[in-house]
Amino acid sequence: MKKVTFLKAALAFTTVFLMATTQTSDACTRVVYKGPKNTIITARSMDFTIPIPSNLWLFPSGIARDGSTGANTVKWTSKYGSMATSSWDIAVSDGMNEKGLVANMLWLVSSKYPEFQKDGKGKKGLAVSLWAQYALDNFATVAEAVAQLRKEEFVVVTDFIPGTDKFTTVHLSLSDATGDNAILEYINGKLVIHHSPEYTVMTNDPIFEEQLAINAYWKGIPGNIFLPGTNRAADRFVRASYYINAIPQTDDTRVAVAGAFSVIRQCSVPYGISTEGFPNLSTTRWRTVADQKNLVYYYEDALSPNAIWVDLKKLDFSKNGKIKKLALDKNQIYAGETSNQFVESKPFQFQGI
């Protein structure tokens, strides 16, 4: 058994090395902290080679949406309200809904999505820009999301990021207020779902199964003696896995949130860094920390002097609530709890095909 694990790890190391030296992608890290008394906190970093302007959006329940794939598209009405982080105001890449479900989209070069037929002969489509928002709108728990998404009633459809040569290839992580987790990937056109409360860490390439093999290898080496220190996805996965369990496990919210922030900062990429021969190592642009027990969403921009946070309990997620935005895309500076600084706004248009 140990020999098989080692061989898998060796293969995964080779894969991630080859991808790092031959392909251009972007890097992120996601980690879930589990403390006593149902203290669950999900933290993530957004690492990208180019600036990725973001805003915070309040989406109430009762919003009628479609998958932005033309006539052959999935349609739904949001069951839950959510706090979401947009990217270029064409996609939602991160967020938490009013039930404490968190969705994070991270880059995965290995992604290969199913074929989509716009003529209506195949399954309905969902633009990748809406993948995270679909989960936030429709599900309260990971188990509920997994049960529904396994039915594959639609296919995720992707395209190039406007104005770039970057083809959007991502995988999706879900976590909830009970500490349950799921990782969703499209590999060779097939949906692969990894579902377990133990899946508390995710980075980028290689695929999640190989990330687990790499981590299993490193568990045999005490983290307080040696940890891999590069910015590569495999190394960040190992460090995040070690540190999220090494920090104090507490129900003191102030300490727990600080701990989650410290881990995601430790796994971030310094601003402006570039490594010759490794084009997929990208500057950390922003970080979020979602306190799923207390429903507080923290946001930290790399160019801002401080983090801000939003208490979701102070927002109106009812069907009578308004869509609102906290503008962050022009380096606006705020301080502290900012729920009262959101401004009613027209919703942005999700990128479709």
Side-chain angles (χ1 to χ4, degrees):
M1 181 62 124
K2 289 184 178 180
K3 184 177 181 180
V4 171
T5 300
F6 178 82
L7 290 173
K8 285 184 177 179
L11 177 61
F13 271 124
T14 303
T15 300
V16 75
F17 177 79
L18 290 173
M19 297 192 77
T21 55
T22 60
Q23 299 192 43
T24 300
S25 66
D26 295 279
C28 308
T29 304
R30 169 266 199 188
V31 63
V32 179
Y33 173 94
K34 295 185 178 184
K37 298 182 180 179
N38 300 316
T39 302
I40 306 295
I41 300 170
T42 298
R44 71 85 51 88
S45 62
M46 170 60 82
D47 306 347
F48 218 72
T49 52
I50 58 177
I52 182 169
S54 298
N55 294 306
L56 294 185
W57 288 85
L58 186 172
F59 292 125
S61 57
I63 298 177
R65 299 193 194 273
D66 66 67
S68 295
T69 57
N72 189 24
T73 191
V74 63
K75 296 183 179 180
W76 72 95
T77 299
S78 60
K79 186 176 180 180
Y80 304 109
S82 60
M83 168 62 49
T85 300
S86 67
S87 295
W88 296 287
D89 274 357
I90 61 171
V92 163
S93 50
D94 194 87
M96 176 167 66
N97 71 16
E98 59 181 307
K99 297 298 182 180
L101 182 81
V102 169
N104 319 101
M105 287 207 304
L106 281 69
W107 208 261
L108 180 67
V109 170
S110 305
S111 300
K112 184 176 181 181
Y113 302 93
E115 292 187 8
F116 172 66
Q117 300 179 22
K118 297 183 70 173
D119 59 11
K121 293 182 180 179
K123 290 183 180 180
K124 295 183 182 299
L126 174 74
V128 71
S129 61
L130 281 139
W131 198 11
Q133 190 61 49
Y134 181 89
L136 296 174
D137 284 351
N138 288 292
F139 308 117
T141 67
V142 169
E144 181 185 348
V146 169
Q148 181 63 33
L149 295 174
R150 280 196 192 280
K151 298 178 183 178
E152 296 191 67
E153 296 177 338
F154 59 81
V155 297
V156 172
V157 186
T158 190
D159 203 348
F160 290 93
I161 297 173
T164 77
D165 60 355
K166 284 182 175 292
F167 195 69
T168 305
T169 53
V170 295
H171 49 175
L172 176 68
S173 72
L174 300 175
S175 60
D176 65 26
T178 73
D180 200 5
N181 292 274
I183 312 299
L184 292 82
E185 301 177 334
Y186 278 97
I187 308 300
N188 294 322
K190 303 292 185 181
L191 177 63
V192 178
I193 300 178
H194 302 272
H195 179 201
S196 171
E198 297 180 1
Y199 297 152
T200 57
V201 178
M202 183 174 83
T203 54
N204 314 105
D205 290 87
I207 60 176
F208 189 69
E209 180 180 3
E210 294 176 4
Q211 291 184 27
L212 294 176
I214 291 172
N215 196 52
Y217 167 83
W218 279 100
K219 281 185 177 180
I221 303 173
N224 61 340
I225 295 176
F226 181 78
L227 285 171
T230 78
N231 294 321
R232 292 185 303 169
D235 289 2
R236 286 183 281 108
F237 189 101
V238 174
R239 293 203 306 278
S241 296
Y242 171 74
Y243 283 120
I244 202 63
N245 294 301
I247 60 176
Q249 308 298 299
T250 176
D251 63 343
D252 183 327
T253 300
R254 191 180 186 94
V255 174
V257 169
F261 257 120
S262 68
V263 172
I264 204 63
R265 287 167 179 154
Q266 202 282 336
C267 296
S268 296
V269 180
Y271 196 87
I273 196 171
S274 61
T275 304
E276 185 176 354
F278 292 85
N280 66 325
L281 302 183
S282 308
T283 289
T284 295
R285 303 291 173 176
W286 48 261
R287 289 171 282 264
T288 62
V289 171
D291 177 355
Q292 291 152 274
K293 177 181 179 180
N294 299 295
L295 296 179
V296 179
Y297 188 77
Y298 298 80
Y299 178 93
E300 180 181 62
D301 192 285
L303 294 178
S304 175
N306 56 274
I308 60 174
W309 59 94
V310 182
D311 186 342
L312 272 63
K313 299 183 295 297
K314 296 182 178 181
L315 303 177
D316 183 5
F317 289 120
S318 73
K319 294 180 180 179
N320 296 322
K322 305 296 183 182
I323 295 175
K324 295 184 177 183
K325 177 178 72 173
L326 184 70
L328 300 165
D329 56 350
K330 294 181 174 58
N331 297 322
Q332 295 93 330
I333 301 298
Y334 306 93
E337 204 282 319
T338 57
S339 59
N340 64 351
Q341 297 189 59
F342 279 71
V343 177
E344 185 175 349
S345 303
K346 291 183 179 179
F348 64 84
Q349 182 68 43
F350 283 88
Q351 181 191 8
I353 62 166

